[in-house]
Amino acid sequence: MSASIEPGTVKRALSAHAAVGLLAGAILYILCLTGTIAVFYVEMQRLEQPNAPEMAEIAPEAVQRGVEAVLAREAQEGLAPTTHLYVHIPVEELPRATVTTDTQAFHLDREGRIAMPEMIEWNDFLVHLHYTLNLPSLVGITIVGIFGVMMLALSLSGVIAHPRIFRDAFRLRARNNAGVGLTDWHNRLSVWTLPFGIAIALTGALIGLATVTAYGLAESAYGGDVEAVYAPVFGEEGPPDPAPAAAPDVAAALQYMAREYPDVRLTYAVVHDPLTAGQHVQMIGDHQRRLIFGEYYAFDSEGAFQGTTGMADGALGQQAAASTYKLHFGNFGGVWVKIAYVALGAALTAICATGSYIWLGKRRRRGIEEPRLRAAWTGVIVGTPVALVATAAARAIIGNEAPFAAIFWIGLAAWIGGSIALAGRRREGAPETAA
């Protein structure tokens, strides 16, 4: 006796299957849109907090005063000792000196005095939305990495599925005959952005899956020691020693870099385990005309040079790993590269949007009418930028303390829900056609 499935059950299963496909497309759309906006993350920081002190450079002694002032302030406030302290060195794109700990961040003035807290929560929200979908870090960045793999597969399979895609690279049929015009634009944009799309998808997948891969390797081969996995690429942390100690000599390390590596543009000074006997200092230096995010220059707590990690001249795999970040975010080559990234990112966003419309159109032509799914997709396409604008408005009205993630996700869900409800009312109010 063969089991049979009710037609209604099959129809509901197909609708659920389609909804899952749209959910995946929606996440790709959100990632592409937020990534395109985040290209100008540095510039938007200056817009979000325009009154922060700015300077072309800061003296090593001023940096030292700033480090000591922030550490003293945290001790006075009774905060838990920070494990890492970062000093952003003023550069052309972001001419600000900022000290960041595990719990807070402060802008410094030219003399190294604490000027004001850093208040760029909206920008941080946007970056976290792109990096982790505002989920817990490990879970979110892994999901985003998986979608990077999915985007890479879509790019490559799209070329294979359309053997004439390159020959028809500039062929556009203006009339939207049963979705032909939309399909042409989708295919043309896919061809024109193919190298960019592959680069973004590949680097996004590498960045997103690196963390979970490191945890897996640590459990299987390093006894759970994640730092041991990262050590061959990013260098070793060194043995911890929690005994109290005076603040490290960051100024001496900065002076050494200015004297011995004058062509290296410093971007960050990093203090590991500050105010402990195991503390040490790293300088991150940007190498011009290179894709690496920077080389690590190691110093002990007295400012004595210990060596480099090898990002600039180490193994090819190490250099490649250090090059994924600039290639993914477009922060190399100046403003014109950023403008190109925004234009190409907007094209990728349009590809994500039109792809699902084309798919829904094909289902409609096969007699599968799904107005609620189409409305849900339109809700995603329109609701995502609307929700982002709502978070920006909240930043202007409420301030830095606004719950940006809640505003975005609740606003987007409400917009999608409203679109579905409106589509349902229209369908119920539509006149029945005669048989």
Side-chain angles (χ1 to χ4, degrees):
M1 182 176 178
S2 60
S4 62
I5 302 176
E6 293 293 329
T9 302
V10 174
K11 185 176 181 180
R12 286 192 295 272
L14 288 172
S15 294
H17 179 76
V20 171
L22 284 185
L23 177 61
I27 293 176
L28 277 177
Y29 173 78
I30 292 170
L31 293 176
C32 287
L33 179 61
T34 54
T36 300
I37 300 171
V39 168
F40 284 108
Y41 169 69
V42 170
E43 290 77 6
M44 289 190 298
Q45 285 187 49
R46 300 176 72 181
L47 288 174
E48 185 172 3
Q49 194 174 14
N51 58 339
E54 295 195 343
M55 62 211 76
E57 58 184 16
I58 187 170
E61 296 77 13
V63 172
Q64 184 70 32
R65 284 192 291 272
V67 169
E68 293 178 2
V70 170
L71 289 173
R73 180 167 180 157
E74 294 209 330
Q76 291 171 0
E77 293 175 351
L79 298 176
T82 187
T83 58
H84 293 85
L85 179 145
Y86 302 86
V87 183
H88 177 267
I89 309 298
V91 293
E92 183 179 357
E93 313 89 79
L94 188 60
R96 298 178 175 182
T98 309
V99 179
T100 304
T101 69
D102 291 347
T103 55
Q104 53 190 336
F106 296 97
H107 294 301
L108 305 180
D109 65 15
R110 189 182 297 273
E111 302 303 318
R113 296 184 292 259
I114 295 176
M116 62 182 66
E118 183 184 51
M119 301 181 70
I120 56 167
E121 285 298 318
W122 186 85
N123 274 275
D124 288 342
F125 148 74
L126 179 69
V127 171
H128 291 153
L129 176 58
H130 181 70
Y131 256 112
T132 67
L133 296 170
N134 300 130
L135 295 169
S137 295
L138 180 59
V139 174
I141 201 169
T142 302
I143 291 173
V144 171
I146 291 170
F147 275 90
V149 175
M150 184 184 300
M151 184 175 173
L152 182 63
L154 288 171
S155 298
L156 297 176
S157 62
V159 174
I160 296 171
H162 299 85
R164 294 177 45 176
I165 194 167
F166 291 107
R167 189 172 68 181
D168 294 341
F170 297 97
R171 183 185 180 192
L172 287 171
R173 289 164 285 187
R175 290 187 178 181
N176 191 357
N177 181 13
V180 166
L182 190 64
T183 302
D184 276 0
W185 272 111
H186 177 86
N187 291 341
R188 298 304 81 79
L189 289 174
S190 298
V191 173
W192 300 338
T193 63
L194 184 62
F196 176 78
I198 290 175
I200 293 298
L202 180 60
T203 53
L206 290 173
I207 294 170
L209 296 178
T211 304
V212 69
T213 302
Y215 273 93
L217 284 173
E219 289 297 328
S220 62
Y222 292 90
D225 187 356
V226 178
E227 290 183 3
V229 178
Y230 283 120
V233 179
F234 300 106
E236 297 182 3
E237 282 277 342
D241 186 345
D249 196 342
V250 179
L254 288 167
Q255 290 163 355
Y256 180 92
M257 291 298 299
R259 184 173 64 251
E260 300 297 330
Y261 294 93
D263 295 331
V264 172
R265 186 183 75 156
L266 292 182
T267 55
Y268 282 92
V270 185
V271 181
H272 298 260
D273 301 315
L275 301 182
T276 71
Q279 66 189 345
H280 58 284
V281 179
Q282 278 182 330
M283 297 291 156
I284 302 180
D286 183 25
H287 287 226
Q288 298 298 310
R289 309 181 75 84
R290 295 289 304 278
L291 276 177
I292 59 168
F293 69 82
E295 175 63 279
Y296 288 164
Y297 299 83
F299 296 82
D300 65 16
S301 62
E302 302 299 322
F305 182 59
Q306 303 292 300
T308 62
T309 301
M311 302 291 195
D313 55 6
L316 289 179
Q318 190 177 16
Q319 295 185 52
S323 300
T324 57
Y325 300 92
K326 278 189 175 182
L327 187 58
H328 186 78
F329 293 105
N331 53 352
F332 65 93
V335 67
W336 290 110
V337 171
K338 290 190 175 186
I339 291 172
Y341 263 63
V342 168
L344 292 167
L348 284 182
T349 306
I351 291 167
C352 291
T354 55
S356 290
Y357 277 124
I358 293 168
W359 177 65
L360 288 167
K362 287 180 179 178
R363 290 171 68 84
R364 172 185 283 180
R365 290 191 293 276
R366 293 201 304 267
I368 306 173
E369 284 286 350
E370 294 174 317
R372 288 184 175 85
L373 279 182
R374 178 175 287 272
W377 183 248
T378 300
V380 170
I381 301 305
V382 179
T384 301
V386 168
L388 286 173
V389 170
T391 61
R395 175 64 177 89
I397 297 170
I398 301 174
N400 210 49
E401 297 78 19
F404 300 113
I407 291 171
F408 175 81
W409 289 108
I410 293 174
L412 178 57
W415 193 281
I416 295 171
S419 299
I420 294 171
L422 186 60
R425 290 181 61 184
R426 286 174 178 169
R427 187 177 187 183
E428 291 170 3
E432 295 184 4
T433 56

